[in-house]
Amino acid sequence: MDPFSLKISLYKVPLQYYFKSFLMDNLDAARLQMAFTLIFHIIFACIGMVMPFFMIVAHKKWLNTKNPIYLKLTKSWQKGVAIFFVIGAVSGTALSFELGLLWPEFMKHAGPIIGMPFSLEGAAFFVEAIALGFYLYGWGKIPEKFHWFTGVIVGIAGVSSGILVVSANGWMNAPSGFDYINGEFLNIDPIKALLNPAWFTQALHMVLAAFTATGFAVAGVHAYQVYKKRQTDLHKKAFKIAITFGAIAAILQPISGDLSAKDIAERQPVKLAAMEAHYETKKGVPLYIGGIVDAEKQEVSYKIEIPKALSFLAFGDFDAEVKGLNDFPEDVRPNVAIVHYAFQTMVGIGTLLLVIGLLFFISLKKKTWWDNTKFWLLFTLLAPMGFIALEAGWIVTEVGRQPWIIHNIMKTKDAVTPMPGMIYSFYMYVTLYSILTVAVTWLMIRQIKSLNNSKLA
Amino acid sequence: MLYVVLLFLMISLLLYVILAGADFGAGIVELFSTKKSQQITKKTVYRVMGPVWEANHIWIIILVVILWVGFPEFYNVLTVYLHIPLTLVLLGITMRGVAFVFRHYDAYKDKSQILYDWMFRISSFLTPIFLGMTAGSMLSGELIITQDYEGFTFYELFIKPWFNGFSILIGLFFASLCTFLTSILLIGEAEGTDRPIYVKKSRNATIAVILLGFIVLSYGLIYNIVFVTEFLKNPYTISLVLLSAVLIFPLLKSIKQARKIISRSLAGLQVVLILIAAIVTHFPNLIITSNSQISILETAAVDEAINVLGMSLIIGGLIILPGLFHLFKSFKMIKVLEK
């Protein structure tokens, strides 16, 4: 007899009972948990991936000018990088487990096919951790130039990891590198899977989005400090470095967005139709801006219509035919309202940030703007915008892919774990990540406070 | 190429156990210290582990990636049936990483440090226990692999395999191994006057490892656990364990003389020997369920996937290992190299 077995009657309830009460929402709970962890991880990972670039620019300026403000700034940013790297790393470790824990059937089949981006990502991540070890602890211990260069490696390795992970996601949208015959994955070619048709457009869009979101967020935090007139010298310099990255990325983003739209129109027409809440297949389709979706009546009200624009954006031809949702069986359509609203949010904010990015470059010529408190208030208010757009973009691509986990091959409901009670796991993760967020925010506030209270040499 | 992949799997497992093990041990040593030596330990640990601890923990990601890419069905069994202990491991890893960062990067050193310290110590203690429990459940013979989920209770399928005497004992055994590694590592790192603290701790940890090892084996014999009975029958296993046991004598001697290079190498070697012994017992059947055994070789992915994985690992290894080596060396982590 096993002395440790618990003889509580609850455990003797047949599994069937759990299934009846949980099976319905087990899938939803698993999806919610995945969405929730990804939403958090993306923020931590993006900041951890982009901030090293701000840090090495400040560091370079310190090496060139020997202005102690830049040294102070570099060292403050490096703390931010370290904190976000670790939080990104632990939430990333959690995700790498969750892929298997939540979607065991998916990983069983997809693992060997998309193993390559993941194993390379592991390698890139390792390089990043090593380089970061050198950078953080190398002050005054290793040659100056080599020390700076390790910071560059941190940045490059971080972006490479990001690209590789997005490539794995691209494969779920554009599965390739295998033949699917009678429910079996044959003739596996991992390199072809890595270089799937979606990898480039998705990775480009994501990298630019990460730079935009982090650039505006970091600039916003420093703008607020200038607005509050705390250590303005330092915070103006910090603002300028961060916003330059953010603004350039925001200005380039529409080009990448256009590539993505054309790509999706070809590969995942149902996703495009959902993004635009476009129900009937037509030629010369207008583009809807905003609007409220009525899924039952298949109508979009209160929208602004730009004639023939969708046909042009999707196919480069004003009279091209765009497939509508009604051309697809109901069980392969994503949730139209969510995808449409998320898409509108992303494009709306993206456009706003593009305009603000241009304004920033004009402000470089009109120095008086920089003395106006409203200028700083504006950038403070914009701080979270990039991340809202970035999350909305991921909702478009992920919810838009449903009901498939591997587009046209495997449905999400067939991949979920057979273990019941996922809703409790979801609650646990919500609690954990909420605490994490509060804690990291608190830590950051304390960092900035201490920076403001310190004397500059 | 399959054997290249297996070799990398083995290397990552060993490195994770030794490096992350020493890292977990740091928190456990702190947990079982007096207030004064806690502060000394905290400082020493940060100096020694600070630059490398992130790198130490990446081995588990490599481990997981090799498993899911190279041995998808093997990984599938772990993720489906050991969902709960793996989630607990994750929870521990997360709390620990966060606590480590917070206690060193918080701009103000005030009372919140107490919270970070306890979070760090407790999660350092619990995570290796859960890791050990997960490993133990693979070998406990309690796993039930089935397609007929409705024929069993939730407890039978998802709790009993890891929440049983054997798995818990393996968990405690692994935690004691971690403590053992760290306390020996710290002897050489501590300031001269603090050394006796760690010499004493090392001795206690060694005794704990021997005692728990003995309890695990006796428990297995009494309850007739297949893994243990075969462990004791296998001549290779026995000789590896005996070798590891014999090494305790030179180890105790080197601890007494505070000779850090020899004591560290011996401690590392002992842990490696014990692990290899456990793997050899049943290789390639690394999962023992209630009615069958799962061979890791039979769960290998198709050749194309294995080949690409093997190549990626070789190339990655060529980039990473020299960098990692240089990192350890630059921050004097491997003092062995200097003298």
Side-chain angles (χ1 to χ4, degrees), chain A residues 31 42 71 77 86 137 161 210 255 260 309 328 342:
Chain A
R31 279 186 61 196
I42 287 168
L71 179 64
W77 273 347
V86 176
Y137 297 85
S161 312
I255 305 171
S260 291
F328 301 92

Side-chain angles (χ1 to χ4, degrees), chain A residues 275-392:
Chain A
M275 279 152 68
E276 272 300 314
H278 169 56
Y279 285 97
E280 292 299 332
T281 303
K282 261 188 277 184
K283 285 183 180 174
V285 182
L287 183 75
Y288 292 162
I289 296 178
I292 292 168
V293 181
D294 185 333
E296 296 237 321
K297 288 188 192 156
Q298 305 201 340
E299 274 175 7
V300 184
S301 39
Y302 305 109
K303 77 253 173 190
I304 303 168
E305 251 185 81
I306 305 178
K308 299 196 178 187
L310 183 60
S311 291
F312 179 73
L313 284 177
F315 296 102
D317 171 3
F318 285 108
D319 291 312
E321 184 182 85
V322 181
K323 279 200 170 178
L325 285 160
N326 289 340
D327 268 22
F328 301 92
E330 223 162 283
D331 66 336
V332 298
R333 287 187 217 163
N335 183 320
V336 179
I338 293 179
V339 178
H340 179 68
Y341 295 140
F343 182 63
Q344 299 298 316
T345 310
M346 177 187 79
V347 175
I349 295 177
T351 315
L352 173 72
L353 296 184
L354 164 80
V355 174
I356 301 288
L358 291 170
L359 275 182
F360 162 72
F361 284 111
I362 297 170
S363 83
L364 290 177
K365 298 274 173 208
K366 305 202 172 193
K367 276 286 173 191
T368 50
W369 290 11
W370 284 50
D371 299 326
N372 190 337
T373 49
K374 281 185 188 140
F375 179 78
W376 301 108
L377 185 61
L378 173 71
F379 279 97
T380 306
L381 296 175
L382 288 174
M385 287 301 176
F387 275 105
I388 297 174
L390 186 140
E391 301 286 7

Side-chain angles (χ1 to χ4, degrees), chain B residues 52-70:
Chain B
V52 291
W53 81 271
E54 284 128 338
N56 288 349
H57 285 268
I58 294 175
W59 291 110
I60 197 168
I61 300 186
I62 306 274
L63 199 68
V64 166
V65 169
I66 295 178
L67 277 180
W68 96 41
V69 177

Side-chain angles (χ1 to χ4, degrees), chain A residues 3-18:
Chain A
F4 285 90
S5 18
L6 288 175
K7 295 222 142 205
I8 302 169
S9 57
L10 180 71
Y11 295 104
K12 291 285 173 197
V13 176
L15 201 61
Q16 219 171 335
Y17 168 78
Y18 287 87

